[in-house]
Amino acid sequence: MKIKKPNIGIVLFLLIGVVPFAAAFIYALLYSFGVIGVANNGFTLQFWESVLASGTFFKSFGYSFIIAFVAVTSSVGGALWITLKFRKQLEKQFLSFIIYLPLAIPGIVTGFFTFQLFSKGGFFARISYKLGLITKASEFPDLVNDGLAFGIILSFITMIMPFFVLLFLNVYKNERVEELSVLAQSLGADANQITRKVFLPILIQKTWVLIVLYFIFLLGAYEVPLILGQESPQMLSVLIIQEIKQYDLDKISEGYVVAVLYTLIVSAAAIVLFLPKRKRVYAN
């Protein structure tokens, strides 16, 4: 029996993308209810009640949400401004090459680099000491492992802003925003009106799906928060891994509870965000 190419693609997608994810989710779900696990004795709601009562998950989720939101909005805003102001300069070969470089740097390297620059024993602390701005390392402000997550947000912006700049440049060309701007100008629109009525709506409308996906990606980021985050609260991925790796066997099940809750919330958000758009596409 001959299998059509589209069916092969769907089968590969299910085998590579869906089946491992579903198996991992079912394993975490069973572990969270005590059905499986070294020290578990059968179905129980004990671990769910413990996690929900402690409030650790909600605090960590809120902390991760704020960091991801600030990083994405700052990156998108900065990328829009760079695209609007420096579009022609970025089309030159050297600058277009430079802007690709941050995309090739792994997140863990960006995290270590930020730590070396902004920690109390790092590059800027030493420069401040040499300039007489501080007399000892403890006087340098907390810019990594801090409560405001300055180092995490800065690393995230460094990682994703170049991507959005390249994305907006391509959308600008493909959607012929330049021609539309000239047309709007000929009809009497000023620069601010062109930006608000032409530039921003087109670029945001064409890229909002990727913006949301990057927000979800940052929400579950691990390497950078592990290096630059504080002890409490922690971002979700760091919290989950630390709970699962603890010697207290009850904490392992609670770690899986956090993982299941996070998966359910992100999956529900993705369905709510993307399903209506899909219906409209089919309707057209």
Side-chain angles (χ1 to χ4, degrees), residues 74-84 160-162 164-165 168 199:
S74 301
S75 300
V76 171
L80 286 170
W81 182 77
I82 291 172
T83 305
L84 182 64
I160 66 175
M161 187 186 288
F164 282 117
V165 171
F168 292 148
F199 178 80

Side-chain angles (χ1 to χ4, degrees), residues 83 94 113 246:
T83 305
F94 176 73
F113 189 66
Q246 287 199 28

Side-chain angles (χ1 to χ4, degrees), residues 115-174:
F115 186 85
Q116 292 298 329
L117 285 178
F118 295 100
S119 66
K120 289 183 179 296
F123 177 77
F124 287 113
R126 293 172 187 272
I127 293 293
S128 300
Y129 179 77
K130 289 292 183 183
L131 295 175
L133 299 176
I134 59 174
T135 56
K136 51 186 178 181
S138 60
E139 294 178 356
F140 192 74
D142 294 324
L143 300 178
V144 298
N145 308 121
D146 58 312
L148 297 177
F150 173 83
I152 298 175
I153 293 173
L154 180 65
S155 297
F156 283 164
I157 293 174
T158 305
M159 290 164 57
I160 66 175
M161 187 186 288
F163 168 78
F164 282 117
V165 171
L166 293 171
L167 178 65
F168 292 148
L169 286 173
N170 285 329
V171 173
Y172 190 93
K173 290 179 182 177
N174 295 335

Side-chain angles (χ1 to χ4, degrees), residues 189-209:
D190 57 28
N192 288 332
Q193 288 175 322
I194 292 173
T195 301
R196 289 186 290 106
K197 302 291 184 180
V198 178
F199 178 80
L200 291 178
I202 293 176
L203 266 64
I204 295 297
Q205 185 181 10
K206 292 293 179 182
T207 59
W208 75 269
V209 173

Side-chain angles (χ1 to χ4, degrees), residues 152-270:
I152 298 175
I153 293 173
L154 180 65
S155 297
F156 283 164
I157 293 174
T158 305
M159 290 164 57
I160 66 175
M161 187 186 288
F163 168 78
F164 282 117
V165 171
L166 293 171
L167 178 65
F168 292 148
L169 286 173
N170 285 329
V171 173
Y172 190 93
K173 290 179 182 177
N174 295 335
E175 298 300 321
R176 304 176 67 179
V177 178
E178 183 73 36
E179 289 86 342
L180 293 173
S181 300
V182 173
L183 177 60
Q185 190 175 16
S186 67
L187 295 175
D190 57 28
N192 288 332
Q193 288 175 322
I194 292 173
T195 301
R196 289 186 290 106
K197 302 291 184 180
V198 178
F199 178 80
L200 291 178
I202 293 176
L203 266 64
I204 295 297
Q205 185 181 10
K206 292 293 179 182
T207 59
W208 75 269
V209 173
L210 282 175
I211 294 173
V212 174
L213 288 176
Y214 252 99
F215 171 78
I216 294 174
F217 166 73
L218 294 185
L219 198 63
Y222 177 69
E223 295 95 345
V224 171
L226 178 67
I227 298 169
L228 302 174
Q230 59 181 356
E231 287 293 328
S232 178
Q234 297 170 319
M235 289 193 72
L236 277 170
S237 297
V238 179
L239 175 66
I240 292 169
I241 296 299
Q242 289 194 354
E243 292 285 309
I244 290 175
K245 288 186 175 180
Q246 287 199 28
Y247 291 105
D248 185 350
L249 297 181
D250 287 343
K251 291 292 183 182
I252 298 177
S253 296
E254 292 180 6
Y256 281 113
V257 172
V258 176
V260 171
L261 280 172
Y262 169 69
T263 305
L264 291 175
I265 291 175
V266 171
S267 300

